[in-house]
Amino acid sequence: MIVRFYVDQFEKGRFDYRVSHEGEDLYADAGLASVEECIMAAIDGLGRDALGAEIAYKSVISGTYPLASLALMAAQIAEHAENSTAAIEEVLRQPLQR
C-alpha cells in the first residue's frame, strides 16, 4: 500500500502531520519542530503493509517515495517538499498574465 503523509505548519517552528490511505486517516501527531521530524515520526507509525508514501506539504504533493528512501533521505525529501511548496506558492502570488 502507498500512504500519504500530509504535513502542515501551524505556527513558526511548529508542524503537524497525518497519515492517510485511500482518504482514510490512519494516525496523526502535532507539535513537531520540522518537516523532517514529521516524516520520521510518520514512518515510525507505519505497519508492514506500507511500501511507500506520497509527501504533501501544505497540500502540495512533492513526490512518492519507497519507505527505504524516506528513512535514509528524510532531510533531503523534507527540503524538496519545502522547496516545491514555496515554488508553487510563489507562482500563485503572481498576477495572471493575459
Side-chain angles (χ1 to χ4, degrees), residues 1-6 18-27 42 46-56 61 63-68 70:
M1 109 175 118
I2 305 295
V3 297
R4 182 174 289 169
F5 297 173
Y6 294 93
R18 64 186 168 90
V19 177
S20 71
H21 179 255
E22 295 183 352
E24 181 180 330
D25 286 347
L26 302 176
Y27 56 94
L46 288 176
R48 293 180 178 230
D49 293 340
L51 301 174
E54 291 180 336
I55 305 298
I61 297 172
T64 304
Y65 305 91
L67 287 185
L70 281 168

Side-chain angles (χ1 to χ4, degrees), residues 75-92:
Q76 294 89 341
I77 292 169
E79 182 178 4
H80 176 70
E82 292 172 292
N83 291 339
S84 296
T85 297
I88 295 296
E89 288 175 340
E90 179 64 28
V91 169
L92 292 174

